[in-house]
Structure formats: C-alpha cells, structure tokens
Amino acid sequence: MSRRSWLSPSLFSPWLTLSLLLTVFCSLVVVAQVPPVDTEGHPWWQHAVFYEIYPRSFADSNNDGVGDLNGISSKMSYLRDLGVDAIWITPCYPSPQVDFGYDVADYENIDPMYGNLADFDHMVAEGRKHHVRVILDFVPNHTSDQHPWFQDSKSSRTAPHRDWYIWRDGKAPGQPPNNWISIFGGSAWTFDPTTNQYYYHFFYAQQPDLNWRNPAVEKVMLDTTRWWYKRGVSGFRLDAVDTLFEDPALHDNPVLPGVNKQGDPNEENQYNTNFPEVHKELQNLRKVADESGAVLIGETWTSNVAQLDRYYGQGGNELQMPMDFMFTMVNKLSPPEFRRQIAAVESAHGWPVFVISNHDIVRSYNRYGDGKNNDAISKLMGAFYLTLRGTPILYYGEEIGMENNDPARKEDVKDPIGRTGWPKEKGRDGERTPMQWNTGPNAGFSKKDPWLPVPPSYQTHNVATESKDSNSVLNLYKKVLALRHTNEALLEGNYTALNEDDLNVMCYLRSYKGKAVLVALNMSATPQKAAFDLSKQGFGRATLRSLIASPEASAKGNEVTLEPFGLLIAEVN
Ligand code: NOJ
C-alpha cells in the first residue's frame, strides 16, 4: 500500500508529525544538493553519460542469487571510473515480479529482495560521493494486480478505487468488450467473476491498466514522483508512455494480416495507444520534475520522427530525453541506413537520445556481430554510439562486450512471454544475465547460483580481465568516454555526415566553435580508405590527428586507412 493511502487524521501522533517534519527537512537539504545545470550552464543531463542497471543482475551483496541495491552501491567507483554520470535502475519497488518489477505493488518502497529505503538512501549517498546520480523507473500505465488499489478496485463495483482501473461489461456472455490484444499475448481483457466485468491490461493480466482519466490517479502518480525527487532521485525513465490512454468508446482495432509470435492476430494499436491526452500528462509530470531540476527520459517507441518530435513538447515542455528506438531497428552495419536515421533525428527539435541496447532488446554484441569479429564490431559500435550528438544511455555489460545468453530449453525460461511464445519468442532472459565481473564462480556476481546463468564467454569477457588488456572492449569504452567528457566538439558540436555515398565507412564530423572531431568507422569486413574534403565545413586545409584508433587504423593528411571493422576518432587541425 502506498504510504499516502494510509495517512488518515487518526494516524497522526506527535512522533509521526516529528518524523514527517524531519523527512521534509532532510528532503529539502537533499534537493538543494542537486544543481539543475552543470558549471557551463548546460542542463546537467545533456553532458551526462547514463547507464542502465537491471538490479536483479548487476551485483549481489547478500549472495542470494539476485542483485540488490547494496550491490549497486558497492560498484559506484567502477561506474565512476568508467565515465558514468547517472544510473537508471529498472523498477526496484515491491512487486510480485511477474514482469520482474514492471508490476508495481507499492510505488513508494523498495522490494525486500533488493533491500529497503535505508539501502536506497545509502545508494544515493554513495552515488553523490562518486558524482553518479540516480534515476528511477516510473511505471505510470499499470500496477500489479496485487497492488492494494487494484485489490480494492476488484472487490466491488462501488469500491473507492473501482474507477482507478478500466472495467467494462463483455460484449456478450464470455466475450471481451472488444478485440484488443495484449502485447504479451491473448486478449487485453480479463474477466473477473467477483463483479462480472472485464478489466483492461495492455501487458500481462497481472498488470491492470490505471485509468488516467480519473483525476485521483493523476494526482497520486504526480505526488509519487515528487516523493522520490525529495528522496534524492534526479529523474525518471517513464515506462510505456504511449499506452497511458485508450479510446473510451472502445472501438475495435484494425486487424492486419498474419499472426504475431504469440499466435495472436496482428493488430494496429489505433485505439489503445498514442492518444493526444498523453502529452498533457507528460507536461504535468514535467512541471513536477522541473521543481527539482530532474530529467524525464521516455520509453518512446515511435514509427516516425514526427511522433518522436512531439514527445519533446511545445518549446520543450514534455520529455527532455525521449529515446529513439528507431535507431535499434537498423539491425545491420549499414552506413546508409544509420545516416538516414541520424539525419531524421537531427531534424527533430530536441536533444537526441539514441538507443543501442536495453533489457528488452537482444544485445548489440549479437545484433551487429558477425560471429567472427564480434569484439572489433563491439568496439566499433561503442565508438559510434558514444560520439554521436546527444546523451547516451549505456546498458550494463555493453562496455565489456556481454553477449545474449538465450535459454536453450523452454523449462529454463523465466520471462513469461518466452514460455507462452516458445520457440518463436524465447523471452528477454538472454539480455538480462548477470554482470560479468571476473573469472570466479558465477562471474563474480554472486556466491550462489544466479537467477539466470552466465554465458561461458564470461571467462574472457569480464571487468577484471579486460581491465588488464589495453586492447579490450572495456578499455576502448573508457577511452571514448573520457574523451567525450572533455572534448567540446563531442559534447556540444553539430553533427555533419561526410562522404554520404560511401557504403562501407560511416563518417561524420562533430564541430563546435572552430574545433572539430572526425569519426570514421569501417562497417565492412574488408580494409577501407576514405579521404575527406572539409572545405565546406570551414576546415579546407585541415589535417587529421588520431585521438583514438583501432590497432591498424591511421590518418595521413586528410585520408584515413582502416582495417576490417577498424575505427578512428581524429582531431581536425
Ligand atoms: C517496457 C519495459 O521496458 C518492459 O520490460 C516491460 O515488460 C513493459 N514496459 C511493461 O511494463
């Protein structure tokens, strides 16, 4: 139960009042310590490097096989050395864990499996010491079916929380109200015999959708974000924002040809996603975030740049950081396709946030790797991702070249969609395996067998081993991250695509106030040369000076030579 719901006048005692006053006082001190802009006057999040942590899998301090907040606290100096400024932690609130935390049963607490609020405060304090901010995941679209709001809502048609969720009569006995399909399989409606009505869930049946048309829902959710800001959170990643509202008239969605991996008919989500009302709520969430200089990152799956652009809001009054997932759709090393996608996002009116990997997507190591040169490709993609204009959000383990470890047998699958969709859909376990720290048992993640197995490649791909190898994926990431923290052209510079007809070498210039950095990435398995005429960019007689390069890459005058999958980041002089 959310604390707020327990607060009734009869519960007020002098002790409670004193502790409330203390909490408010401490929160004010905490908020005052988080400046909204960095020293040069940029919003802090524009120059920051974000790092996504799946808390079950990062570091296990109590050796129960599942990661926890104290584990994260213990790794702050690793994160700082890597060059991370903010961590986004996927949901760590109390939850039955049907969707591994995205089914929240209490928005203002920590699941005991991860620790408690004191551990959370300790983590924020450790973060401060190491200049690492904490971003939480906010799940506004749905709660767990075990949340006390839903338990009340389902208890009777007149319950106080009845209208906090979306309840409807069936079309006819045994028939759901309309044809909407849950993205995780089956009808998006589940019948509840207690009150003889169906409730709506875009995701699992255990994740009933909240009714955002009810002002009480809006209020409690806005207050929740405020509560966490006061506790020292520097922002939120907002889950599934496009699904907040649906058509009150419940029109059927258009049915498309074919079936999906779960065997359901394909549908266009015309009547249950992307309603204009979402933008009003994002503006409201933003007003609250602005009270604390916090950042809002959006899980914004869009099919075109116009949709993505809308998420920034009029004059930038919605999300500062809507994520561009269209970038992840470029699933091969194709300079023309990457150029097209970057140009599209560059035409939008906000700060870019490209996505390369996360806990729902097969790791970039496997998506772009060719099976033979994966480490070189991993470095190439790191150099690419971290030198684009915008704020990067690294997924844990990308920096050591972690690979997907998909379950081989249905009975080993933990993610429910992997069981219902097997074998076409193996679920998301593969990209959520424990962080590989060293060559010890369970890759140094835990003394107990972890909740998901580590792949055999942990013997070579782990933090300890790679730290000692100057040519490792980890050291390439560290070098590029150190450069982007100090180089103004990389932090602030414009992006200009170069040699746009080149099918193999992806190259671009980042330039700022007469200074420039050139990036050349050989996306092919054959050696390549590329020469540059930078006169249009005002660097006519410039020569290149290598800053970071793969072992056989070189720059001479205005020309670069690259081995297969080689990379070069050069200063333009
Ligand atoms: C998006 C999250 O990234 C995913 O992991 C989750 O299953 C759904 N939203 C539902 O919350």
Side-chain angles (χ1 to χ4, degrees):
M1 167 68 79
S2 154
R3 270 143 209 261
R4 190 169 303 102
S5 321
W6 285 107
L7 273 187
S8 70
S10 62
L11 281 174
F12 269 93
S13 69
W15 279 115
L16 190 63
T17 313
L18 183 64
S19 75
L20 276 174
L21 283 174
L22 269 175
T23 311
V24 170
F25 175 73
C26 295
S27 317
L28 289 175
V29 172
V30 163
V31 171
Q33 287 172 350
V34 183
V37 288
D38 67 20
T39 42
E40 288 119 41
H42 304 281
W44 65 269
W45 46 269
Q46 285 191 348
H47 286 184
V49 170
F50 287 65
Y51 185 93
E52 178 191 352
I53 290 181
Y54 202 67
R56 295 179 75 88
S57 295
F58 193 60
D60 179 12
S61 74
N62 62 353
N63 292 305
D64 63 355
V66 176
D68 45 53
L69 299 190
N70 285 334
I72 298 175
S73 298
S74 72
K75 299 295 182 187
M76 286 295 177
S77 48
Y78 167 74
L79 294 167
R80 193 58 204 167
D81 289 350
L82 177 62
V84 168
D85 305 288
I87 48 174
W88 146 36
I89 303 173
T90 61
C92 51
Y93 316 107
S95 160
Q97 304 286 325
V98 172
D99 193 13
F100 300 112
Y102 283 98
D103 43 328
V104 179
D106 178 353
Y107 285 91
E108 295 180 357
N109 215 332
I110 298 296
D111 194 294
M113 140 190 326
Y114 297 128
N116 53 37
L117 282 168
D119 297 332
F120 175 83
D121 294 341
H122 174 65
M123 179 180 69
V124 171
E126 281 301 297
R128 280 221 178 89
K129 262 194 233 155
H130 293 85
H131 306 281
V132 175
R133 297 173 189 251
V134 174
I135 307 292
L136 286 186
D137 208 315
F138 188 55
V139 189
N141 177 69
H142 46 269
T143 68
S144 158
D145 62 346
Q146 300 306 308
H147 195 297
W149 301 336
F150 188 71
Q151 290 294 309
D152 179 55
S153 185
K154 70 184 276 200
S155 65
S156 91
R157 289 196 186 201
T158 55
H161 292 88
R162 181 65 172 181
D163 190 42
W164 283 42
Y165 295 85
I166 297 161
W167 292 95
R168 291 288 192 283
D169 291 330
K171 239 187 210 162
Q175 271 186 42
N178 67 12
N179 76 346
W180 297 351
I181 294 293
S182 153
I183 196 169
F184 286 159
S187 170
W189 297 95
T190 290
F191 183 71
D192 189 63
T194 318
T195 56
N196 286 324
Q197 280 197 315
Y198 287 82
Y199 67 88
Y200 172 65
H201 48 91
F202 188 84
F203 298 97
Y204 292 121
Q206 295 90 339
Q207 294 169 298
D209 270 47
L210 282 162
N211 174 15
W212 273 80
R213 296 186 192 278
N214 180 337
V217 169
E218 182 192 62
K219 179 172 183 326
V220 81
M221 295 307 261
L222 291 175
D223 283 351
T224 299
T225 65
R226 204 175 267 119
W227 190 85
W228 282 109
Y229 294 139
K230 290 192 173 149
R231 218 167 177 116
V233 161
S234 296
F236 283 102
R237 174 267 193 188
L238 305 180
D239 187 63
V241 286
D242 56 328
T243 61
L244 279 195
F245 286 87
E246 35 299 296
D247 173 21
L250 303 190
H251 287 97
D252 276 348
N253 274 332
V255 177
L256 304 171
V259 292
N260 63 22
K261 286 183 178 171
Q262 299 288 339
D264 294 314
N266 286 322
E267 271 186 7
E268 188 191 328
N269 293 120
Q270 185 178 340
Y271 291 106
N272 57 346
T273 62
N274 277 319
F275 271 68
E277 288 90 331
V278 166
H279 296 280
K280 187 193 96 200
E281 293 310 337
L282 293 179
Q283 287 158 26
N284 290 337
L285 284 158
R286 175 62 183 278
K287 278 187 208 137
V288 180
D290 282 348
E291 291 166 13
S292 306
V295 70
L296 295 180
I297 306 169
E299 194 208 8
T300 40
W301 286 91
T302 58
S303 38
N304 56 56
V305 169
Q307 268 177 17
L308 182 69
D309 211 8
R310 278 208 68 184
Y311 281 114
Y312 291 104
Q314 292 283 329
N317 64 353
E318 295 184 22
L319 303 174
Q320 295 103 319
M321 291 175 55
M323 294 192 258
D324 171 22
F325 286 98
M326 292 172 288
F327 195 79
T328 65
M329 303 293 174
V330 183
N331 265 326
K332 55 182 180 209
L333 294 178
S334 163
E337 285 189 35
F338 280 125
R339 273 182 214 122
R340 241 192 318 277
Q341 186 50 35
I342 296 166
V345 172
E346 284 283 332
S347 73
H349 297 93
W351 188 256
V353 183
F354 296 103
V355 177
I356 185 166
S357 279
N358 76 14
H359 63 284
D360 296 325
I361 306 172
V362 171
R363 282 189 178 273
S364 69
Y365 195 83
N366 302 74
R367 294 213 318 283
Y368 300 107
D370 64 355
K372 281 186 275 177
N373 300 285
N374 284 33
D375 280 10
I377 294 171
S378 187
K379 293 178 212 168
L380 179 92
M381 291 309 287
F384 181 27
Y385 186 57
L386 299 173
T387 55
L388 287 172
R389 193 173 79 89
T391 299
I393 307 180
L394 284 177
Y395 186 44
Y396 81 94
E398 290 286 293
E399 75 276 21
I400 51 170
M402 263 175 72
E403 63 177 339
N404 252 65
N405 191 28
D406 290 327
R409 304 176 316 168
K410 184 177 171 185
E411 54 270 38
D412 296 332
V413 176
K414 299 279 192 311
D415 186 16
I417 51 168
R419 288 198 298 270
T420 50
W422 189 270
K424 282 192 189 148
E425 167 66 73
K426 293 191 168 148
R428 297 161 292 178
D429 295 354
E431 53 263 31
R432 298 173 173 181
T433 58
M435 178 67 179
Q436 297 161 195
W437 293 104
N438 56 43
T439 53
N442 306 316
F445 164 76
S446 175
K447 292 204 174 104
K448 192 175 164 218
D449 278 353
W451 76 288
L452 287 175
V454 291
S457 60
Y458 83 91
Q459 285 291 348
T460 47
H461 290 72
N462 64 70
V463 172
T465 305
E466 291 191 43
S467 297
K468 289 185 233 136
D469 171 6
S470 60
N471 194 31
S472 64
V473 177
L474 178 60
N475 273 315
L476 185 278
Y477 264 79
K478 278 191 180 171
K479 279 184 224 158
V480 182
L481 284 167
L483 182 66
R484 74 163 280 142
H485 273 111
T486 50
N487 186 295
E488 281 198 303
L490 290 181
L491 285 173
E492 281 292 304
N494 295 330
Y495 162 93
T496 311
L498 300 172
N499 298 12
E500 291 189 74
D501 295 331
D502 197 320
L503 298 178
N504 298 309
V505 184
M506 172 84 203
C507 33
Y508 45 93
L509 194 71
R510 299 287 317 282
S511 54
Y512 182 70
K513 291 190 179 166
K515 290 189 180 158
V517 166
L518 182 140
V519 181
L521 308 160
N522 181 1
M523 296 197 164
S524 81
T526 52
Q528 301 289 332
K529 275 187 191 304
F532 303 95
D533 173 4
L534 301 177
S535 43
K536 269 203 240 146
Q537 286 77 36
F539 299 95
R541 291 174 30 224
T543 57
L544 303 174
R545 186 176 72 87
S546 169
L547 295 170
I548 296 175
S550 50
E552 290 166 43
S554 61
K556 200 168 169 209
N558 67 346
E559 192 179 81
V560 304
T561 304
L562 299 164
E563 74 267 44
F565 306 113
L567 67 97
L568 185 109
I569 303 173
E571 191 175 68
V572 180
N573 288 306

